[in-house]
Amino acid sequence: MHRILFRWLVGAVPVVFGVTVLTFVLTSLVPGDPGRTILGANASPAQVKVLDAQLGLDHPLPVRYWDWLTAALHGNLGDSITSGVPVSDQLTSRLGTTLSLIGGAILVAAVAGVALGVLSALKGGWLGRAVDGIALVGLAVPNFWFGLVLMTAFAVRLPLFPVSGYVPFTDSPVQWFESLVLPVLTLGVPATAPVAKQTRDGVLTQLDREYVRVLRARGVPERSVIFRHVLRNAAAPIVTVLGVVVVTLFGGTVLAETLFVMPGLGGLAVTAAQTQDIPTVQGVALVFTVTVMLINLLIEVVYAMLNPKVRT
């Protein structure tokens, strides 16, 4: 386990550094001037130049990145250029929305995907072909189109759920759940496809193994054979696929939060990028990168627990 942690640390540091550098450079190349955005179109060039100097935007790009990096290493992510609010406060206020969205989508993808995969492996026939078809459709259909379909069906024609917005759990657990249903399904249902297909293939592979025939010959109940032995031995590749799905969900939050007008990190990143608010974009990118790296670490740990060969 210590070896896994050490290997993760060795790989995480350059990844986080590379992402912050790339994000800083790409955001700086976005057309426009933050000073002009703040002051408006009627501001004179002299006023814009003075504000850029106050914000430190007149410094060379490497100097500006070094200043940000040294402050970030001391726990200071800076202030938003456009609003003046500390970036850490913005991230804290919006993190709960994004985590609720991703957590719900992971739950949908994992539960529905594993259930469909096991069922199709055991029943076969048309159900197996249906899972293959769902997998292809889920990978091909854009999330934004699926979200619009859900919004039209269950928020406009049948007003069962709110069309936009987010209610914190502390304000109302019921309204919190209702505000998450459509965006969670928008991300979670398409993500079910690869999990279901991997589960089906893994279970079919294990069902052909010798130990399954031995367990059945000994009279072990079929439910125990499937859930205590087959599914456990097929879990390692399923966990790997789930890890890939989780990483893609972070990119999907930008779309879902924009489509359903949710105050999350994805929407914050879009707004900040449009105004060249580099400290805010850097903060969001840093949170996303560290979270993804922690998820990769968790996947490696779980994979090692499921596969003794990895531990040795």
Side-chain angles (χ1 to χ4, degrees):
M1 202 64 67
H2 292 86
R3 184 178 300 175
I4 294 176
L5 181 60
F6 177 76
R7 186 171 63 247
W8 176 82
L9 287 173
V10 171
V13 173
V15 168
V16 173
F17 176 75
V19 168
T20 57
V21 171
L22 187 61
T23 303
F24 199 94
V25 172
L26 292 179
T27 307
S28 302
L29 295 177
V30 174
D33 189 335
R36 174 66 64 183
T37 302
I38 296 171
L39 296 177
N42 296 326
S44 64
Q47 291 175 321
V48 174
K49 186 176 181 180
V50 170
L51 182 58
D52 287 343
Q54 292 175 352
L55 298 175
L57 299 177
D58 56 340
H59 297 160
L61 190 62
V63 175
R64 290 160 55 193
Y65 175 77
W66 178 254
D67 292 340
W68 176 87
L69 181 62
T70 53
L73 292 176
H74 290 85
N76 180 15
L77 297 178
D79 299 331
S80 169
I81 292 177
T82 56
S83 66
V85 178
V87 174
S88 57
D89 292 346
Q90 289 184 310
L91 298 178
T92 303
S93 64
R94 291 173 174 259
L95 184 60
T97 304
T98 300
L99 291 182
S100 298
L101 181 57
I102 293 178
I106 294 172
L107 184 62
V108 170
V111 174
V114 172
L116 280 175
V118 172
L119 192 61
S120 64
L122 296 179
K123 300 298 182 180
W126 68 268
L127 189 57
R129 293 190 294 272
V131 170
D132 290 337
I134 292 173
L136 290 176
V137 173
L139 294 174
V141 172
N143 283 349
F144 74 89
W145 180 85
F146 186 63
L148 291 174
V149 171
L150 291 177
M151 186 183 298
T152 303
F154 300 106
V156 178
R157 295 185 178 179
L158 294 176
L160 299 177
F161 304 104
V163 70
S164 62
Y166 172 78
V167 178
F169 181 82
T170 53
D171 293 350
S172 173
V174 175
Q175 293 182 358
W176 168 81
F177 175 80
E178 291 176 346
S179 66
L180 282 174
V181 170
L182 295 184
V184 163
L185 291 178
T186 299
L187 294 179
V189 172
T192 300
V195 179
K197 185 167 178 57
Q198 180 60 59
T199 302
R200 173 175 173 267
D201 294 342
V203 170
L204 287 176
T205 300
Q206 295 299 321
L207 288 175
D208 289 336
R209 298 293 177 86
E210 184 68 27
Y211 75 90
V212 174
R213 290 189 287 271
V214 173
L215 290 173
R216 287 171 172 171
R218 290 181 177 179
V220 177
E222 187 67 15
R223 179 176 298 180
S224 179
V225 172
I226 298 301
F227 291 100
R228 293 189 58 185
H229 300 279
V230 172
L231 193 57
R232 181 175 180 178
N233 290 328
I238 298 173
V239 169
T240 303
V241 171
L242 275 174
V244 176
V245 167
V246 171
V247 174
T248 60
L249 288 178
F250 276 92
T253 57
V254 177
L255 170 66
E257 291 172 4
T258 303
L259 183 63
F260 292 96
V261 196
M262 301 180 69
L265 295 180
L268 178 64
V270 172
T271 303
Q274 291 173 345
T275 58
Q276 281 192 320
D277 190 351
I278 295 180
T280 302
V281 176
Q282 288 289 99
V284 175
L286 183 63
V287 170
F288 276 7
T289 304
V290 172
T291 304
V292 169
M293 296 302 297
L294 290 174
I295 291 173
N296 288 334
L297 174 62
L298 178 62
I299 291 171
E300 288 198 32
V301 172
V302 174
Y303 195 89
M305 295 173 61
L306 295 173
N307 191 348
K309 295 181 180 179
V310 174
R311 294 197 299 268
T312 57

